Amino acid sequence: MRVWLENRVIRYTRGMNLRRKIFVMYGLILLVPSLILGGITMGVVVRSFHENYVATVDESIKQTAINVDYSKKSYDLLAIRTATDSELIARLGREYADMTQIIDTVDYLDRNFMLTSKYLPGIIDFRIYHTNDTLVEDGRLLWRPQHRLLSGLDEWDWYEKTMASSTLLFWSTAPEHPGRIVLTSKILNSAGEPLGMVYILLDYNVVFGNLLKHPFAEDGSLYIVDDEKRILATTEQDKIGRRVLASGWPEGDDGIEGRRSGEIDKEDPAAAAVYDLTGTKQLVTLEPLTSGWYVVALTQMKYMDGRSITLLALIAGTAILLLVLSMFLITTIINNVVRRIRRLGHRMYDLSRGEFDVTIRNKVQDELGDLELMFNSMSERLGGLVEDIRTSSLLEREQAFKAMQAQINPHFIYNSLSLLRWRALDAQDEEQVRIIDALSTFYRQTLNNQVAVIPIREELEHVKAYLEVQQLRYPERVRLEWDIEEQVLSLYTLKTLLQPIVENCYAHGAITRRGDGAIRIAVWRNGDSVAMSVVDNGQGIAPEVLAALEAGTYLGSGNGFGTANIRERLALYFGEEAALKLDSEAGDWTRATIRFPACTEPPIIRRRG
């Protein structure tokens, strides 16, 4: 199946160039599936957002309903406990014959119900109304209804109307005081006859107002509706007191006694007191309370629709941006690949014409980059082979000449120095004898190419021979100081390790130009390592030159100070266990310190990884 499919694909794309093949693959594999999946994803995301939003609203409404129910029950309990107090009922129903009994009743009420009025927050006024003609009105807790204003109503009319209702516990709003709520509870004797009423005036904001602030990010409204579908509290306080007309009440009622949503006469003045929610395009949610009240939520659908449109625009914009970006990237990659393949073809054509110095600049590490590197390597090797063939005859003649030069034996130099020494002895020239002896010692080490590792004792003799010649050249200009530990003389070091550093004191430190020039050479053992130090008071090294020497980037004739050669030889035999450290103060002094492992046996060259 796989082979058949591959053959079909190759057959249909055989006539296409590489660019078109990649574009077709991109469209079939990425572009079309991305558009299909993107559309499905947008629908799923919008639907999920809608469901999550509705669920969030429902949860918020339920939480508000729980808080409202708890607050209502707290105040209901206070009113009911007061109205059903047996002692209060007995005292309100008693006939009083003298003032002593009246005073005792007033004291009892003050003692038991004055603190009761402080139990819950938001209580502005707490009263106990009665119609007992033998009991006084003290103006504190005890009151008798009269023709005076109470919360914007005639107190006597309000009292009779409330007592005539069939509800024992009643919540109402104060028309003249929108920020107040009235809670009343009838006081009945055991025979069910009315004795009075508990009147509690509440602060609207403390009881319900704080529960209804800023619902749904201030993009909706909440209403607390009593069992008669009348609005007691809401985020829109101008609608307090209206009856709510809405469909979907749990018991099937439309919210107005004796009417249905289709029977409301808009011309009827009574309809002005109705808040009709049946035709709204907003989301209406009804949440019943255990006490028979409801929390009605009105959520702006335009918020949800706006968020859906914004979300769709965001998803669509992101998808378009990603598609455009992917098309740009695939086009860039295709152009880069095609351009590099064509360039490689042109260079191969040049190579076939015998131009072996052609190369391809490579900055990309991919398969084509590897191919370009291999082409450069092939071109370079082919050019090298051709050049080798071209110069082979010249190399043969040069090797012959070098072979003839190599026949000059170093012993010729030793024999010549020996002859000069005998002539100096014969002439009794002791200074010449010293010079020749120093040169013989110096060249014996320098010209011995068979040995690379020697004892420290021999390296010091080599340095002393060099210094002997310099002292004869510059008599009494440089003072030499030696600090050599005897125990290190038998240990091994590299040949010509110390002498180039001493030579730098003369060549670069200009030690002979000072009237009080000094060189101090010290060799000591420090634990498992050996340290060699050469200190001079010459002209020192400039900071930038010192930094370049330490970094190994200094360029000078013959490497200038020879430090790179010393470091390379130390690394070759001792690895990271050896080091050369240069310290200097320009115009004042220079110190070179070499550290390497203490070796009782000649070290050998280490293999590099």
PDB file of all heavy atoms in Angstrom, residues 121-138:
ATOM      1  N   PRO A 121     -27.136  43.971  62.366  1.00  0.00           N
ATOM      2  CA  PRO A 121     -26.774  45.287  61.825  1.00  0.00           C
ATOM      3  C   PRO A 121     -27.902  45.838  60.946  1.00  0.00           C
ATOM      4  O   PRO A 121     -28.729  45.091  60.423  1.00  0.00           O
ATOM      5  CB  PRO A 121     -25.523  44.996  60.991  1.00  0.00           C
ATOM      6  CG  PRO A 121     -25.670  43.571  60.571  1.00  0.00           C
ATOM      7  CD  PRO A 121     -26.348  42.878  61.736  1.00  0.00           C
ATOM      8  N   GLY A 122     -27.894  47.134  60.771  1.00  0.00           N
ATOM      9  CA  GLY A 122     -28.826  47.760  59.854  1.00  0.00           C
ATOM     10  C   GLY A 122     -30.168  48.104  60.450  1.00  0.00           C
ATOM     11  O   GLY A 122     -31.063  48.583  59.730  1.00  0.00           O
ATOM     12  N   ILE A 123     -30.412  47.844  61.751  1.00  0.00           N
ATOM     13  CA  ILE A 123     -31.701  48.156  62.378  1.00  0.00           C
ATOM     14  C   ILE A 123     -31.703  49.634  62.764  1.00  0.00           C
ATOM     15  O   ILE A 123     -30.935  50.065  63.624  1.00  0.00           O
ATOM     16  CB  ILE A 123     -31.959  47.270  63.610  1.00  0.00           C
ATOM     17  CG1 ILE A 123     -32.026  45.798  63.185  1.00  0.00           C
ATOM     18  CG2 ILE A 123     -33.238  47.685  64.307  1.00  0.00           C
ATOM     19  CD1 ILE A 123     -32.211  44.838  64.336  1.00  0.00           C
ATOM     20  N   ILE A 124     -32.568  50.394  62.091  1.00  0.00           N
ATOM     21  CA  ILE A 124     -32.664  51.834  62.370  1.00  0.00           C
ATOM     22  C   ILE A 124     -33.655  52.117  63.495  1.00  0.00           C
ATOM     23  O   ILE A 124     -33.407  52.949  64.367  1.00  0.00           O
ATOM     24  CB  ILE A 124     -33.073  52.579  61.093  1.00  0.00           C
ATOM     25  CG1 ILE A 124     -32.028  52.335  59.986  1.00  0.00           C
ATOM     26  CG2 ILE A 124     -33.239  54.074  61.356  1.00  0.00           C
ATOM     27  CD1 ILE A 124     -32.430  52.918  58.652  1.00  0.00           C
ATOM     28  N   ASP A 125     -34.796  51.421  63.475  1.00  0.00           N
ATOM     29  CA  ASP A 125     -35.842  51.653  64.487  1.00  0.00           C
ATOM     30  C   ASP A 125     -36.480  50.316  64.842  1.00  0.00           C
ATOM     31  O   ASP A 125     -36.725  49.482  63.956  1.00  0.00           O
ATOM     32  CB  ASP A 125     -36.897  52.625  63.948  1.00  0.00           C
ATOM     33  CG  ASP A 125     -37.793  53.162  65.064  1.00  0.00           C
ATOM     34  OD1 ASP A 125     -37.532  52.839  66.245  1.00  0.00           O
ATOM     35  OD2 ASP A 125     -38.749  53.903  64.742  1.00  0.00           O
ATOM     36  N   PHE A 126     -36.740  50.104  66.133  1.00  0.00           N
ATOM     37  CA  PHE A 126     -37.337  48.864  66.627  1.00  0.00           C
ATOM     38  C   PHE A 126     -38.494  49.255  67.548  1.00  0.00           C
ATOM     39  O   PHE A 126     -38.281  49.917  68.575  1.00  0.00           O
ATOM     40  CB  PHE A 126     -36.287  48.043  67.379  1.00  0.00           C
ATOM     41  CG  PHE A 126     -36.774  46.668  67.791  1.00  0.00           C
ATOM     42  CD1 PHE A 126     -36.567  45.576  66.957  1.00  0.00           C
ATOM     43  CD2 PHE A 126     -37.436  46.470  69.006  1.00  0.00           C
ATOM     44  CE1 PHE A 126     -36.997  44.316  67.328  1.00  0.00           C
ATOM     45  CE2 PHE A 126     -37.868  45.211  69.368  1.00  0.00           C
ATOM     46  CZ  PHE A 126     -37.654  44.135  68.531  1.00  0.00           C
ATOM     47  N   ARG A 127     -39.740  48.865  67.175  1.00  0.00           N
ATOM     48  CA  ARG A 127     -40.916  49.262  67.972  1.00  0.00           C
ATOM     49  C   ARG A 127     -41.842  48.069  68.201  1.00  0.00           C
ATOM     50  O   ARG A 127     -41.876  47.143  67.390  1.00  0.00           O
ATOM     51  CB  ARG A 127     -41.716  50.355  67.246  1.00  0.00           C
ATOM     52  CG  ARG A 127     -40.955  51.634  67.004  1.00  0.00           C
ATOM     53  CD  ARG A 127     -41.820  52.665  66.324  1.00  0.00           C
ATOM     54  NE  ARG A 127     -41.089  53.906  66.046  1.00  0.00           N
ATOM     55  CZ  ARG A 127     -41.621  55.002  65.525  1.00  0.00           C
ATOM     56  NH1 ARG A 127     -42.937  55.004  65.226  1.00  0.00           N
ATOM     57  NH2 ARG A 127     -40.892  56.070  65.300  1.00  0.00           N
ATOM     58  N   ILE A 128     -42.590  48.159  69.305  1.00  0.00           N
ATOM     59  CA  ILE A 128     -43.654  47.196  69.606  1.00  0.00           C
ATOM     60  C   ILE A 128     -44.957  47.987  69.724  1.00  0.00           C
ATOM     61  O   ILE A 128     -45.160  48.746  70.673  1.00  0.00           O
ATOM     62  CB  ILE A 128     -43.376  46.417  70.909  1.00  0.00           C
ATOM     63  CG1 ILE A 128     -42.072  45.628  70.780  1.00  0.00           C
ATOM     64  CG2 ILE A 128     -44.534  45.490  71.245  1.00  0.00           C
ATOM     65  CD1 ILE A 128     -41.648  44.929  72.066  1.00  0.00           C
ATOM     66  N   TYR A 129     -45.822  47.851  68.673  1.00  0.00           N
ATOM     67  CA  TYR A 129     -47.117  48.552  68.673  1.00  0.00           C
ATOM     68  C   TYR A 129     -48.166  47.716  69.410  1.00  0.00           C
ATOM     69  O   TYR A 129     -48.142  46.473  69.335  1.00  0.00           O
ATOM     70  CB  TYR A 129     -47.571  48.786  67.224  1.00  0.00           C
ATOM     71  CG  TYR A 129     -46.905  49.989  66.576  1.00  0.00           C
ATOM     72  CD1 TYR A 129     -45.756  49.828  65.820  1.00  0.00           C
ATOM     73  CD2 TYR A 129     -47.444  51.264  66.734  1.00  0.00           C
ATOM     74  CE1 TYR A 129     -45.141  50.920  65.221  1.00  0.00           C
ATOM     75  CE2 TYR A 129     -46.843  52.354  66.145  1.00  0.00           C
ATOM     76  CZ  TYR A 129     -45.693  52.184  65.385  1.00  0.00           C
ATOM     77  OH  TYR A 129     -45.103  53.273  64.801  1.00  0.00           O
ATOM     78  N   HIS A 130     -49.114  48.419  70.104  1.00  0.00           N
ATOM     79  CA  HIS A 130     -50.200  47.737  70.803  1.00  0.00           C
ATOM     80  C   HIS A 130     -51.427  48.645  70.786  1.00  0.00           C
ATOM     81  O   HIS A 130     -51.340  49.853  70.541  1.00  0.00           O
ATOM     82  CB  HIS A 130     -49.798  47.404  72.252  1.00  0.00           C
ATOM     83  CG  HIS A 130     -49.634  48.615  73.104  1.00  0.00           C
ATOM     84  ND1 HIS A 130     -50.674  49.159  73.851  1.00  0.00           N
ATOM     85  CD2 HIS A 130     -48.540  49.403  73.307  1.00  0.00           C
ATOM     86  CE1 HIS A 130     -50.222  50.216  74.491  1.00  0.00           C
ATOM     87  NE2 HIS A 130     -48.924  50.396  74.184  1.00  0.00           N
ATOM     88  N   THR A 131     -52.563  48.032  71.073  1.00  0.00           N
ATOM     89  CA  THR A 131     -53.831  48.797  71.142  1.00  0.00           C
ATOM     90  C   THR A 131     -54.489  48.652  72.514  1.00  0.00           C
ATOM     91  O   THR A 131     -55.708  48.808  72.652  1.00  0.00           O
ATOM     92  CB  THR A 131     -54.778  48.298  70.037  1.00  0.00           C
ATOM     93  OG1 THR A 131     -54.967  46.895  70.163  1.00  0.00           O
ATOM     94  CG2 THR A 131     -54.236  48.644  68.662  1.00  0.00           C
ATOM     95  N   ASN A 132     -53.694  48.332  73.534  1.00  0.00           N
ATOM     96  CA  ASN A 132     -54.175  48.185  74.901  1.00  0.00           C
ATOM     97  C   ASN A 132     -54.355  49.586  75.494  1.00  0.00           C
ATOM     98  O   ASN A 132     -53.370  50.305  75.717  1.00  0.00           O
ATOM     99  CB  ASN A 132     -53.177  47.363  75.716  1.00  0.00           C
ATOM    100  CG  ASN A 132     -53.739  46.973  77.079  1.00  0.00           C
ATOM    101  OD1 ASN A 132     -54.643  47.623  77.623  1.00  0.00           O
ATOM    102  ND2 ASN A 132     -53.186  45.892  77.629  1.00  0.00           N
ATOM    103  N   ASP A 133     -55.591  49.977  75.737  1.00  0.00           N
ATOM    104  CA  ASP A 133     -55.849  51.328  76.233  1.00  0.00           C
ATOM    105  C   ASP A 133     -55.325  51.547  77.643  1.00  0.00           C
ATOM    106  O   ASP A 133     -55.135  52.692  78.064  1.00  0.00           O
ATOM    107  CB  ASP A 133     -57.365  51.619  76.210  1.00  0.00           C
ATOM    108  CG  ASP A 133     -57.899  51.662  74.787  1.00  0.00           C
ATOM    109  OD1 ASP A 133     -57.085  51.962  73.871  1.00  0.00           O
ATOM    110  OD2 ASP A 133     -59.093  51.391  74.572  1.00  0.00           O
ATOM    111  N   THR A 134     -55.112  50.458  78.391  1.00  0.00           N
ATOM    112  CA  THR A 134     -54.630  50.611  79.767  1.00  0.00           C
ATOM    113  C   THR A 134     -53.110  50.664  79.855  1.00  0.00           C
ATOM    114  O   THR A 134     -52.568  50.856  80.949  1.00  0.00           O
ATOM    115  CB  THR A 134     -55.130  49.439  80.623  1.00  0.00           C
ATOM    116  OG1 THR A 134     -54.588  48.213  80.109  1.00  0.00           O
ATOM    117  CG2 THR A 134     -56.657  49.372  80.609  1.00  0.00           C
ATOM    118  N   LEU A 135     -52.419  50.490  78.716  1.00  0.00           N
ATOM    119  CA  LEU A 135     -50.951  50.493  78.688  1.00  0.00           C
ATOM    120  C   LEU A 135     -50.468  51.742  77.961  1.00  0.00           C
ATOM    121  O   LEU A 135     -51.048  52.149  76.944  1.00  0.00           O
ATOM    122  CB  LEU A 135     -50.421  49.236  77.978  1.00  0.00           C
ATOM    123  CG  LEU A 135     -48.910  49.028  77.984  1.00  0.00           C
ATOM    124  CD1 LEU A 135     -48.391  48.905  79.421  1.00  0.00           C
ATOM    125  CD2 LEU A 135     -48.532  47.798  77.160  1.00  0.00           C
ATOM    126  N   VAL A 136     -49.454  52.352  78.492  1.00  0.00           N
ATOM    127  CA  VAL A 136     -48.983  53.641  77.980  1.00  0.00           C
ATOM    128  C   VAL A 136     -48.143  53.446  76.703  1.00  0.00           C
ATOM    129  O   VAL A 136     -47.784  52.332  76.317  1.00  0.00           O
ATOM    130  CB  VAL A 136     -48.144  54.368  79.048  1.00  0.00           C
ATOM    131  CG1 VAL A 136     -48.975  54.633  80.289  1.00  0.00           C
ATOM    132  CG2 VAL A 136     -46.890  53.555  79.374  1.00  0.00           C
ATOM    133  N   GLU A 137     -47.784  54.560  76.076  1.00  0.00           N
ATOM    134  CA  GLU A 137     -46.799  54.613  74.970  1.00  0.00           C
ATOM    135  C   GLU A 137     -45.590  55.367  75.507  1.00  0.00           C
ATOM    136  O   GLU A 137     -45.682  56.566  75.786  1.00  0.00           O
ATOM    137  CB  GLU A 137     -47.414  55.344  73.775  1.00  0.00           C
ATOM    138  CG  GLU A 137     -46.415  55.582  72.641  1.00  0.00           C
ATOM    139  CD  GLU A 137     -46.998  56.421  71.523  1.00  0.00           C
ATOM    140  OE1 GLU A 137     -47.642  55.860  70.644  1.00  0.00           O
ATOM    141  OE2 GLU A 137     -46.798  57.658  71.542  1.00  0.00           O
ATOM    142  N   ASP A 138     -44.456  54.658  75.667  1.00  0.00           N
ATOM    143  CA  ASP A 138     -43.290  55.321  76.259  1.00  0.00           C
ATOM    144  C   ASP A 138     -42.395  55.985  75.209  1.00  0.00           C
ATOM    145  O   ASP A 138     -41.434  56.677  75.549  1.00  0.00           O
ATOM    146  CB  ASP A 138     -42.471  54.333  77.088  1.00  0.00           C
ATOM    147  CG  ASP A 138     -41.803  53.265  76.238  1.00  0.00           C
ATOM    148  OD1 ASP A 138     -42.173  53.140  75.046  1.00  0.00           O
ATOM    149  OD2 ASP A 138     -40.914  52.549  76.758  1.00  0.00           O
TER     150      ASP A 138
END
